[in-house]
Amino acid sequence: MNSNKRQALGDDGDRDGNDGLSLYDKLPRVQLDLNSFETYALDRLKVLRAIENAAVRNKSAAEMAAVIKAATDKYMRMDPNSARAMAGSKTLEEQRRKDHLSHFILRLAFCRTEDNRSWFMNHETLLFKYRFESEFQEERSGFLKFQQLNAPPISKQERETLFSELRSLFPTSYDQPFFKVPFEQVLPLVSRRAVVLKAGFAFVPETEQSTLVTNAFNKHLLTSLDTFSRSLPRMDEDDRLIPILNSIARQCASRDYTMDPNADPKAQILASEIDSLSAQGHFPLCMTNLHTHLRADSHLKHGGRLQFGLFLKGCGVSMEEALLYWRKAFNKLAADKFDKEYAYNIRFNYGKEGSRKDYAPYSCSKIIMSNPPSAGDHHGCPFRHSPPDALRSMVAKVAGEGVAVDVMRLAKEGHYQIACTRLFEATRSLTAAAGSSGSGESGDSGKNDLLVTNEGVVEVIEHPNQWFDLSYRGSDSGKHRGVTKKEDNMDVDR
């Protein structure tokens, strides 16, 4: 594509081009070449991805701030206005220009589906909150005044009326300014019991002012995304931007593990290899559990067959190999009974029967949130659905008691995907593997090279096939077959 082609976006800059804080309520209108269009979008996306990884790992506020600072310093530096003399006006204006334009490019890319809008809104809000809390008080005050976001401070009479409640909740800071707002505007603070409630109003301390502003930003962005989603169809005829926007949006969509019809035949998994792949630890715990029960009982109920079958499909098992594997696994059934009662569903999963839809393997979130297992079922997420004793036994068997204690704690706290990631780090560690092969070095299970992205961010397991890809494609057997690890380089398709 000709990089000299340019696309009009709107007025250059923010409300005055000088602010580090913005509600992004003024559409940009500038000429931007397509290379810069992509670069701006992907740099901002890298920042949001870093925020996502920190959030899903339940980082503290201080740790989250450190992650955002490192990512923004690298990809989207935003110096304060006080640095104008040192950095120069031109540098600050370019920083703000990039920030403003990149936000609107991603808003275009992520406005089409509810999931994408939610993802973008959540992580943009966290970025805005960090920036607001990091700004100097003078800049915050100027921003609030300009955007008319100042909540009314409580009067002296209200303070006297609420004196006992304020002093009880804020014993060391009850004399700070408080703001009176409808309680529904600060529900996160209400749930944390961080505000005084009376007559339908919340009395918010100055230290929590960022919550008020963040809620306003979130509400404004939600409305804007809805407006963009209704306007975007008018751009569908632009064969330059739409492919780029679609590709950008896919960078944060759930990984697509449907079968590639053009995949190298050497990379396909044979029915005869499935048992050994599970034994070698290339399957996540949910799939290892299903495989174990399949082998023990020569049968799985429908939920288990669907979850495990689609996983195998995502690993690269063809329909023909899947039929062969399941027919042998159900060895207590006569061949004609298997063909009559089970073969149809396997062909259905591959889009060869019924609606002929090419079904994708289940993601972690789908497994965790839908169709919980009942008596006799073995599908689901072990970290979410298995009894504590059973989960501890499964983890200890593959990783030892020490890791089991850590994983059990994470699972108990509801961090199911982090627990799975911790197990991956413990069992698939490259340094641990080297140590066990006689190098004498102890494995560092806290960080696994297979899990580190090009941006240096440790990924969280969010899909069973992600575990398989990271494990198998980084193994000697995977490399021997010419299968390589999929790099998350965030390239844009043109």
Side-chain angles (χ1 to χ4, degrees):
M1 179 175 290
N2 185 355
S3 62
N4 292 323
K5 289 184 179 180
R6 296 174 180 266
Q7 178 67 27
L9 288 184
D11 262 353
D12 185 9
D14 213 333
R15 56 186 170 93
D16 61 6
N18 296 318
D19 297 309
L21 293 171
S22 175
L23 290 184
Y24 305 103
D25 50 1
K26 183 178 180 181
L27 288 171
R29 202 163 192 78
V30 298
Q31 294 292 323
L32 188 68
D33 67 82
L34 288 173
N35 284 336
S36 295
F37 187 94
E38 295 174 7
T39 300
Y40 284 10
L42 294 182
D43 281 352
R44 192 179 194 94
L45 194 53
K46 290 170 185 175
V47 173
L48 299 186
R49 287 285 298 273
I51 294 172
E52 177 189 35
N53 276 280
V56 78
R57 285 181 173 272
N58 202 34
K59 296 286 188 182
S60 68
E63 291 171 328
M64 175 68 80
V67 167
I68 298 176
K69 184 180 187 307
T72 52
D73 283 351
K74 184 174 182 179
Y75 298 111
M76 282 186 47
R77 188 175 183 86
M78 184 78 82
D79 292 317
N81 286 337
S82 58
R84 188 174 296 273
M86 183 178 298
S89 296
K90 186 175 181 180
T91 298
L92 263 66
E93 289 168 5
E94 178 55 33
Q95 289 174 352
R96 282 142 179 76
R97 180 176 184 269
K98 180 179 180 179
D99 172 70
H100 199 67
L101 295 176
S102 64
H103 170 87
F104 278 96
I105 295 170
L106 291 194
R107 191 187 287 188
L108 279 172
F110 285 91
C111 71
R112 285 195 166 190
T113 69
E114 184 177 351
D115 286 345
N116 282 350
R117 288 194 295 269
S118 177
W119 186 92
F120 179 67
M121 187 170 64
N122 289 341
H123 298 97
E124 278 286 331
T125 300
L126 287 172
L127 175 60
F128 175 84
K129 185 174 187 290
Y130 162 77
R131 285 179 169 173
F132 182 82
E133 293 177 343
S134 302
E135 266 294 4
F136 292 106
Q137 181 60 49
E138 182 181 355
E139 297 293 336
R140 291 203 301 265
S141 298
F143 171 75
L144 294 174
K145 183 178 180 181
F146 182 86
Q147 296 291 352
Q148 298 180 346
L149 295 175
N150 282 317
I154 62 173
S155 64
K156 183 178 180 180
Q157 182 179 359
E158 285 176 316
R159 180 181 288 275
E160 292 174 353
T161 303
L162 297 168
F163 179 78
S164 59
E165 290 94 334
L166 296 176
R167 186 165 187 173
S168 176
L169 192 58
F170 308 99
T172 61
S173 57
Y174 61 90
D175 56 345
Q176 66 177 303
F178 285 83
F179 305 96
K180 180 180 179 180
V181 298
F183 80 93
E184 60 269 19
Q185 292 185 12
V186 288
L187 291 178
L189 298 182
V190 174
S191 65
R192 285 166 36 204
R193 299 184 178 181
V195 292
V196 172
L197 294 175
K198 188 171 184 179
F201 288 93
F203 295 85
V204 182
E206 186 179 46
T207 52
E208 296 287 359
Q209 189 180 36
S210 63
T211 300
L212 290 172
V213 185
T214 300
N215 286 349
F217 175 86
N218 191 278
K219 183 178 180 181
H220 173 76
L221 183 54
L222 177 62
T223 303
S224 299
L225 285 168
D226 182 62
T227 301
F228 269 51
S229 69
R230 286 185 273 108
S231 302
L232 198 60
R234 283 179 270 172
M235 296 178 59
D236 282 344
E237 295 181 2
D238 192 325
D239 59 0
R240 298 169 300 169
L241 289 187
I242 292 301
I244 297 175
L245 293 174
N246 289 341
S247 182
I248 291 170
R250 286 197 300 270
Q251 303 289 348
C252 281
S254 295
R255 289 170 171 81
D256 181 8
Y257 290 101
T258 52
M259 288 202 69
D260 182 0
N262 301 315
D264 186 343
K266 292 191 302 181
Q268 294 184 8
I269 305 298
L270 303 178
S272 58
E273 299 173 303
I274 293 174
D275 291 346
S276 63
L277 289 173
S278 178
Q280 293 166 20
H282 296 313
F283 289 3
L285 196 60
C286 56
M287 301 305 167
T288 300
N289 182 49
L290 285 166
H291 175 263
T292 299
H293 283 284
L294 174 61
R295 280 308 181 193
D297 305 333
S298 299
H299 185 266
L300 282 176
K301 289 189 174 182
H302 176 72
R305 296 196 306 273
L306 191 58
Q307 182 174 317
F308 190 49
L310 289 175
F311 167 76
L312 294 178
K313 175 186 175 183
C315 292
V317 177
S318 68
M319 185 183 73
E320 292 74 18
E321 291 294 320
L323 285 165
L324 178 61
Y325 176 76
W326 285 102
R327 186 175 288 114
K328 288 184 176 181
F330 278 45
N331 52 41
K332 296 179 181 179
L333 289 179
D336 60 339
K337 185 175 177 63
F338 176 86
D339 289 339
K340 184 183 296 184
E341 298 183 8
Y342 298 100
Y344 175 89
N345 286 336
I346 295 171
R347 294 194 298 270
F348 185 89
N349 290 344
Y350 281 80
K352 302 302 182 182
E353 299 284 2
S355 62
R356 299 189 180 273
K357 177 181 177 181
D358 187 17
Y359 288 91
Y362 290 169
S363 66
C364 290
S365 59
K366 184 176 180 65
I367 292 172
I368 290 169
M369 300 302 294
S370 63
N371 189 27
S374 55
D377 286 328
H378 303 293
H379 64 273
C381 171
F383 305 102
R384 169 67 177 86
H385 298 119
S386 292
D389 290 344
L391 175 60
R392 187 185 187 100
S393 176
M394 283 189 282
V395 175
K397 183 178 179 180
V398 298
E401 282 293 337
V403 175
V405 172
D406 197 16
V407 168
M408 291 295 293
R409 175 184 57 81
L410 291 167
K412 185 178 180 180
E413 294 172 354
H415 307 311
Y416 311 119
Q417 291 169 243
I418 302 175
C420 186
T421 304
R422 176 70 183 91
L423 184 61
F424 183 99
E425 291 171 340
T427 59
R428 314 309 300 159
S429 171
L430 295 179
T431 51
S436 63
S437 64
S439 67
E441 297 178 5
S442 61
D444 176 11
S445 62
K447 188 175 183 180
N448 187 319
D449 290 344
L450 289 171
L451 277 170
V452 181
T453 67
N454 291 350
E455 287 72 51
V457 178
V458 179
E459 293 182 345
V460 171
I461 297 294
E462 58 186 26
H463 200 294
N465 289 91
Q466 180 188 0
W467 175 301
F468 177 80
D469 273 3
L470 292 169
S471 177
Y472 178 66
R473 297 180 195 285
S475 68
D476 289 339
S477 56
K479 293 175 182 175
H480 178 71
R481 295 170 64 137
V483 182
T484 58
K485 176 190 171 188
K486 294 179 180 178
E487 294 293 344
D488 183 16
N489 56 13
M490 304 182 90
D491 285 340
V492 170
D493 301 331
R494 289 190 177 185

